[in-house]
């Protein structure tokens, strides 16, 4: 007989001795490594110079970390960080926002397109977001291992009791909660599989904006819905009809709809580098 709920008592550290390696950091690193190889294969398929991938990796790595940190600072805790600006650099204390990371990556790709590819940024967005979908899923697995970013209490049999989480012990002790990290991870992994199929089997890389638009819809429309059952990240969200994550997701999802419609209305163009 299956247990009524799942007690989640996993150590967030893979190695916890004189050197500490946490699952979150490991998932992040694995995601970047696999993503690098996926983008390398795609760029090679489209005839792009080998040097482009390494340059893009540097742009994206820096933009993701800086953007995610500044997103948390400005979108969620500006009152605190404006009074303690030196704490902005204390990333080891936690505090990253995926919407900020998305904005950072968008700016990085635009700069990469201006200075490196000399092409429409949609060419890079369409290819890069395939890998980002996979990375996003692995990061949510890291959140699960950290027992963080979970949802409200639930009676569903797959509810998790996050016994290592101070937040869970304070707010929901004894109650099972939605494992929203798993919901989001499954969304990202499914999106990754869909986009790989679209690129390799359907030639969607020849329709600028179609893959990028699909990514934006799949990521942010589902994020908008999942937020209804996810804990608020900061206290001020308690009085909001839509929380900050939902408000930030709306423009991304709408941009995705526009890009998909725009891409399907235009004639295909070759994605090959000549």
């Amino acid at each position: 007989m299956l247990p009524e709920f799942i007690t989640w008592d996993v150590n967030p550290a893979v190695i916890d001795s004189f050197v500490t390696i946490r699952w979150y950091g490991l998932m992040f690193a694995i995601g970047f490594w696999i993503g690098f190889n996926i983008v390398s294969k795609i760029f090679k398929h489209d005839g792009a110079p080998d040097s482009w991938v390494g340059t893009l990796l540097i742009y994206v790595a820096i933009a993701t970390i800086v953007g995610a940190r500044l997103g948390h600072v400005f979108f969620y805790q500006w009152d605190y960080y404006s009074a303690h600006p030196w704490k902005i650099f204390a990333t080891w204390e936690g505090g990253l926002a995926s919407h900020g990371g998305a904005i950072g990556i968008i700016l990085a790709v635009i700069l990469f397109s201006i200075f490196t590819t000399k092409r429409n940024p949609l060419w890079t967005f369409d290819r890069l977001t395939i890998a980002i979908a996979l990375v996003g899923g692995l990061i949510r697995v890291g959140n699960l291992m950290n027992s963080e970013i979970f949802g409200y209490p639930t009676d569903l049999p797959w509810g998790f009791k996050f016994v290592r989480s101070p937040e869970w012990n304070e707010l929901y002790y004894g109650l099972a909660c939605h494992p929203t990290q798993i919901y989001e991870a499954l969304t990202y992994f499914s999106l990754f599989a869909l986009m790989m199929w679209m690129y390799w089997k359907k030639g969607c890389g020849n329709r600028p904006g179609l893959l990028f638009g699909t990514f934006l819809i799949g990521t942010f429309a589902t994020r908008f819905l999942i937020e209804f059952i996810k804990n608020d990240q900061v206290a001020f969200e308690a009085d909001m009809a839509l929380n900050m994550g939902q408000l930030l997701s709306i423009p991304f999802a709408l941009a995705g709809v526009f890009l998909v419609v725009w891409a399907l209305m235009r004639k295909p163009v070759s994605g090959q580098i000549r």
Side-chain angles (χ1 to χ4, degrees):
M1 183 177 178
L2 294 175
E4 186 176 359
F5 297 112
I6 299 168
T7 298
W8 189 251
D9 188 20
V10 174
N11 190 335
V14 185
I15 300 174
D16 193 5
S17 58
F18 63 94
V19 174
T20 299
I21 299 177
R22 298 176 68 89
W23 281 106
Y24 184 89
L26 181 61
M27 291 295 102
F28 206 97
I30 289 174
F32 262 89
W33 181 76
I34 297 177
F36 175 83
N37 283 279
I38 290 172
V39 174
S40 294
K41 185 176 181 180
I42 291 173
F43 274 31
K44 183 177 181 179
H45 175 262
D46 285 329
D50 293 338
S51 61
W52 283 11
V53 183
T55 303
L56 179 60
L57 178 64
I58 295 172
Y59 274 86
V60 170
I62 295 173
T64 300
I65 296 171
V66 174
R69 181 58 173 174
L70 293 181
H72 177 78
V73 169
F74 290 113
F75 297 148
Y76 291 99
Q77 288 192 295
W78 176 241
D79 288 345
Y80 173 78
Y81 287 107
S82 62
H84 308 84
W86 60 90
K87 284 288 189 178
I88 293 175
F89 302 98
T91 54
W92 56 88
E93 295 180 359
L96 299 173
S98 58
H99 292 90
I103 294 172
I105 290 172
I106 289 172
L107 294 175
V109 169
I110 292 173
L111 292 175
F112 173 75
S113 300
I114 292 173
F115 294 111
T116 303
T117 71
K118 315 295 183 182
R119 295 177 66 92
N120 187 325
L122 289 177
W123 185 91
T124 302
F125 281 127
D126 285 336
R127 288 147 182 81
L128 177 63
T129 49
I130 298 173
I132 290 177
L134 176 63
V135 176
L138 290 170
I139 288 174
R140 284 297 180 248
V141 172
N143 293 137
L144 175 65
M145 306 306 280
N146 277 348
S147 297
E148 62 188 3
I149 315 183
F150 50 85
Y152 294 133
T154 178
D155 293 329
L156 295 171
W158 57 80
F160 276 48
K161 295 182 177 181
F162 294 98
V163 296
R164 287 179 178 259
S165 166
E167 183 182 10
W168 180 85
N169 280 284
E170 179 182 351
L171 299 176
Y172 305 125
Y173 180 78
L175 301 176
C177 295
H178 283 286
T180 50
Q181 317 96 321
I182 295 178
Y183 302 165
E184 289 192 61
L186 291 175
T187 296
Y188 295 140
F189 291 143
S190 299
L191 182 59
F192 167 69
L194 171 64
M195 294 177 70
M196 286 286 280
W197 174 78
M198 290 174 65
Y199 176 82
W200 290 107
K201 299 298 184 181
K202 294 299 179 179
C204 292
N206 295 328
R207 288 189 174 273
L210 181 56
L211 285 163
F212 184 33
T214 300
F215 171 82
L216 292 175
I217 295 170
T219 298
F220 293 103
T222 54
R223 172 73 183 269
F224 179 88
L225 296 174
I226 292 173
E227 288 288 333
F228 280 113
I229 57 172
K230 188 190 292 185
N231 270 340
D232 295 331
Q233 291 193 44
V234 288
F236 72 77
E237 292 181 306
D239 298 324
M240 300 172 67
L242 298 176
N243 65 27
M244 183 60 73
Q246 290 173 309
L247 293 176
L248 293 171
S249 294
I250 291 172
F252 284 103
L254 291 177
V257 173
F258 170 80
L259 284 171
V260 168
V261 173
W262 181 79
L264 292 175
M265 290 178 63
R266 295 170 62 87
K267 293 181 179 180
V269 297
S270 175
Q272 293 291 309
I273 304 297
R274 300 184 184 278

